[in-house]
Amino acid sequence: MHRRAIVPARVNIIGEHVDNHGGLSLPFATSDYLIMDAIQRGEGYSGDELVIRLWKEAGGWPADLTVDSGIPIGMGMSSSAALCVAIVLCARGVNEGIETCKEARRIERVVLENNCGLLDQIAMIFSKEGHAVLVDFSDLSMEQIPLPASWIFKLVDSGISRALSSTEYGTMNTYSKKHVADEVQRVLDSRGAPAEYLGQLLNQSHSSLISLGVSLTEIDRMVDDLQRTDGVLGARMMGGGFGGMILVLVEDEGVLPSIPVVVSSDSARLEEVL
């Protein structure tokens, strides 16, 4: 038996640090992928030690495990979630939708000690090319939202990586309730918004992340410089915080010409390899 899981990265347009608190988010899957192969063997396991630990936690059978990832590690594009989703898909041999998401979250929490929510996994399992997924974490309901052609995104590498288990992801502070309430409203306001207005919402979101205490001075300087760049409509730090990618909304593809446009993709898929 040989199974292969192909799992996309995700970009979260807006709705950061709300999935553990019943909020709303608007992510989409991208054309960066993690590919995992699991080939059954008689006994034992081969592969990266961490991958084997995750595989065993998911109930995986004796196998040769290989992972080839084009998703940057520690850069806010959910490389760890993609790995866990791939492991669950290969171990179970079926995409069970939200149950796959929950199991991927469980093994990430147990093995990687990351107190993650379900944003990343849902984006990877339920995305549709050309659409974002509006997720309501109060009841896990979802709606496919077409991505307007005027929403042109680029990702700027801050050069600062982060370890999920070394940061206080998912914790609350005195500002958290205000952040969640305001961020949820920004998600609602973003639906079908003109690009110029969406840019303002991204800028507001980053300011709120600063107040939430999950940004860094170096990141804030980079975001501020980008927000002041001609042709940039808005920018904010993306992901759990303390480093990673900066999401930038631009007027056209010619802005920040050395950086490619983010391309949306379909959801994760599972293959039986003959």
Side-chain angles (χ1 to χ4, degrees):
M1 179 168 56
H2 180 179
R3 289 176 180 160
R4 176 176 295 147
I6 303 169
V7 182
R10 71 98 184 95
V11 161
N12 187 25
I13 299 172
I14 199 160
E16 209 72 80
H17 280 272
V18 300
D19 52 336
N20 273 335
H21 311 299
L24 302 175
S25 295
L26 192 65
F28 66 92
T30 78
S31 56
D32 299 293
Y33 299 97
L34 177 145
I35 301 173
M36 176 176 176
D37 285 272
I39 303 174
Q40 190 172 30
R41 58 190 291 173
E43 60 182 21
Y45 307 85
S46 71
D48 179 84
E49 180 181 350
L50 181 59
V51 173
I52 292 173
R53 286 174 57 202
L54 288 163
W55 179 255
K56 289 181 177 179
E57 182 63 32
W61 20 270
D64 296 319
L65 305 169
T66 60
V67 176
D68 181 14
S69 181
I71 304 175
I73 296 173
M75 300 307 292
M77 295 184 72
S78 303
S79 57
S80 59
L83 174 60
C84 293
V85 167
I87 283 172
V88 172
L89 288 173
C90 285
R92 294 191 170 186
V94 63
N95 186 343
E96 299 176 296
I98 197 64
E99 294 307 315
T100 295
C101 297
K102 289 179 178 179
E103 175 64 2
R105 177 183 63 177
R106 186 191 70 80
I107 67 172
E108 185 170 353
R109 286 180 168 183
V110 171
V111 177
L112 302 184
E113 299 180 349
N114 171 26
N115 186 30
C116 57
L118 283 169
L119 166 64
D120 303 335
Q121 302 87 347
I122 286 175
M124 294 165 183
I125 290 293
F126 290 97
S127 282
K128 179 180 177 182
E129 185 176 358
H131 294 71
V133 185
L134 177 60
V135 188
D136 185 339
F137 292 100
S138 67
D139 59 7
L140 296 182
S141 60
M142 294 165 236
E143 180 183 353
Q144 297 287 342
I145 306 294
L147 289 168
S150 61
W151 290 13
I152 303 171
F153 297 106
K154 296 194 174 188
L155 292 172
V156 174
D157 185 351
S158 71
I160 303 172
S161 183
R162 62 185 287 268
L164 291 172
S165 61
S166 68
T167 58
E168 297 181 359
Y169 183 83
T171 59
M172 297 285 281
N173 63 24
T174 55
Y175 181 76
S176 294
K177 289 184 179 180
K178 176 173 173 53
H179 169 76
V180 171
D182 290 350
E183 191 78 345
V184 165
Q185 187 59 53
R186 283 188 282 270
V187 174
L188 292 172
D189 291 344
S190 72
R191 293 189 55 167
E196 292 79 5
Y197 183 50
L198 178 62
Q200 296 174 28
L201 296 174
L202 296 184
N203 293 343
Q204 293 169 16
S205 178
H206 186 77
S207 295
S208 189
L209 292 173
I210 294 173
S211 298
L212 191 62
V214 298
S215 189
L216 296 170
T217 301
E218 303 95 306
I219 297 284
D220 299 337
R221 290 196 191 103
M222 293 181 68
V223 170
D224 184 65
D225 287 344
L226 285 164
Q227 290 173 348
R228 296 172 184 271
T229 300
D230 289 343
V232 169
L233 302 176
R236 72 170 188 87
M237 179 185 63
M238 189 180 70
F242 307 103
M245 293 289 188
I246 298 170
L247 179 65
V248 185
L249 180 67
V250 295
E251 287 182 347
D252 57 62
E253 296 184 15
V255 179
L256 305 177
S258 64
I259 300 173
V261 171
V262 179
V263 178
S264 71
S265 80
D266 279 326
S267 60
R269 64 184 188 271
L270 177 67
E271 300 175 352
E272 296 285 347
V273 181
L274 301 178

